[in-house]
Amino acid sequence: MGRTLAAELHTDEPRLRVTEGDARTALRTVVGRPVVSARARLRFGPGRTCEPVARLLDRAIVQAEGAGLDPGLLIVADGSVQAAEDIIRVRRRAHGNADWIRSPTCAIQIILRPAGLHATAGLDRPPAAGPLVPGPQPADLRAEPGAPGQAVAPGQAVAPGQAVAPGQAVAPGQAVAPGQAGVPAEGVPAEGFPAESADERVAAVCGALSDVIDPDLGVNIVDLGFVRAVAVEGRTAAITMTLTSAACPLTGVMENQIRAGLAPLGGIENFRIDWQWIPAWRPADITDGGREQLRAIGFTI
């Protein structure tokens, strides 16, 4: 017996001033959350924030109230993101010169549904071709299929050294030997520590540092050339960095921003900053992308 799903609210913005990558990350963060807490998460953290998408959720909440829906009962059910045309502006300078300033935009849609409707929507609609927002699907969260039907019954003993096939269920409280499901063997990452290579963890730390903005210059510390080396030592990120001067008063501010940026990373519990003042930082350390950002802000470099 088919039923028609109602009370689905779509909020669209054809040219939101945010990069496509940042918008996708923001949507992946909040899909499945109540819309009010999703807005707070994107605006205040913890972790990476995205004010443009938070403002779009502001609009969605206003639309929901105008439609007679209680925002407290709505879930961010789905969404889509597509790159749109850049906004191009001209900044006039002295002596008849001018600069072009390009701001990336994307077309974004956010779909809200009542919490109960969101939970049962998959039972009432034919399966979609794929999610609008890439992210882990339920199949990704299950173990690899192994021997179907080989579930271990409650209370059944598992002999030491006995292998538990992938996908085989283990009853709560059942003893499992090291190397079996749920007990990491020697050399296997413990629970909560991602099974990633050192290079992948270093890349994740560098990505988080790219979101740390120098409050004076308005550009991230990686493109400014402040980050000189990154290593991961167990669960600690070791960051070698510098600033424009050893007398810069922003070292504490930088450490707090880095702490907030690394907090969402799995497997990274601590970080250490090794300040390196020799050789001194030079404008030549700024990346090409950093130079473009500085020019867009108004610096001559």
Side-chain angles (χ1 to χ4, degrees), residues 2-285:
R3 287 180 292 175
T4 302
L5 299 182
E8 183 174 272
L9 182 67
H10 292 227
T11 302
D12 302 270
E13 175 53 57
R15 296 181 76 184
L16 189 68
R17 192 173 297 184
V18 62
T19 65
E20 181 183 7
D22 286 349
R24 287 189 184 278
T25 299
L27 275 182
R28 280 197 295 266
T29 300
V30 300
V31 164
R33 290 174 176 261
V35 64
V36 176
S37 65
R39 175 181 61 179
R41 169 65 178 76
L42 292 181
R43 181 160 286 153
F44 305 114
R48 181 180 299 184
T49 60
C50 187
E51 179 61 25
V53 178
R55 288 197 296 267
L56 189 59
L57 289 177
D58 284 337
R59 189 198 308 172
I61 289 172
V62 171
Q63 290 177 345
E65 292 173 338
L69 300 174
D70 181 359
L73 302 177
L74 297 178
I75 298 291
V76 181
D78 207 345
S80 64
V81 177
Q82 290 184 339
E85 294 183 3
D86 290 352
I87 295 175
I88 302 176
R89 295 174 291 134
V90 177
R91 184 184 63 231
R92 301 191 181 278
R93 305 174 65 87
H95 311 295
N97 296 325
D99 292 335
W100 295 98
I101 302 177
R102 307 176 69 94
S103 299
T105 72
C106 65
I108 181 169
Q109 179 186 77
I110 294 177
I111 300 174
L112 305 182
R113 296 193 191 106
L117 189 59
H118 170 63
T120 59
L123 304 176
D124 299 318
R125 294 195 299 183
L132 293 176
V133 181
Q137 300 304 303
D140 299 329
L141 305 179
R142 297 194 298 265
E144 291 293 327
Q150 295 185 2
V152 179
Q156 179 179 348
V158 179
Q162 178 182 349
V164 178
Q168 184 173 356
V170 179
Q174 179 182 352
V176 184
Q180 293 179 264
V183 179
E186 184 178 356
V188 178
E191 183 179 359
F193 195 91
E196 299 173 328
S197 69
D199 289 343
E200 289 172 330
R201 295 201 296 274
V202 167
V205 172
C206 290
L209 295 177
S210 296
D211 291 333
V212 177
I213 304 299
D214 180 278
D216 280 344
L217 300 177
V219 176
N220 71 79
I221 60 176
V222 173
D223 282 333
L224 287 173
F226 291 167
V227 179
R228 290 182 167 172
V230 173
V232 175
E233 302 168 0
R235 295 177 180 268
T236 300
I239 306 164
T240 302
M241 34 179 317
T242 190
L243 293 173
T244 54
S245 166
C248 180
L250 297 177
T251 54
V253 175
M254 291 293 184
E255 289 177 358
N256 290 335
Q257 290 192 44
I258 291 171
R259 181 178 294 105
L262 296 181
L265 299 185
I268 301 296
E269 293 182 351
N270 304 294
F271 73 99
R272 181 183 75 247
I273 298 179
D274 299 325
W275 294 103
Q276 186 182 78
W277 306 112
I278 299 175
W281 178 87
R282 303 170 303 157
D285 296 334

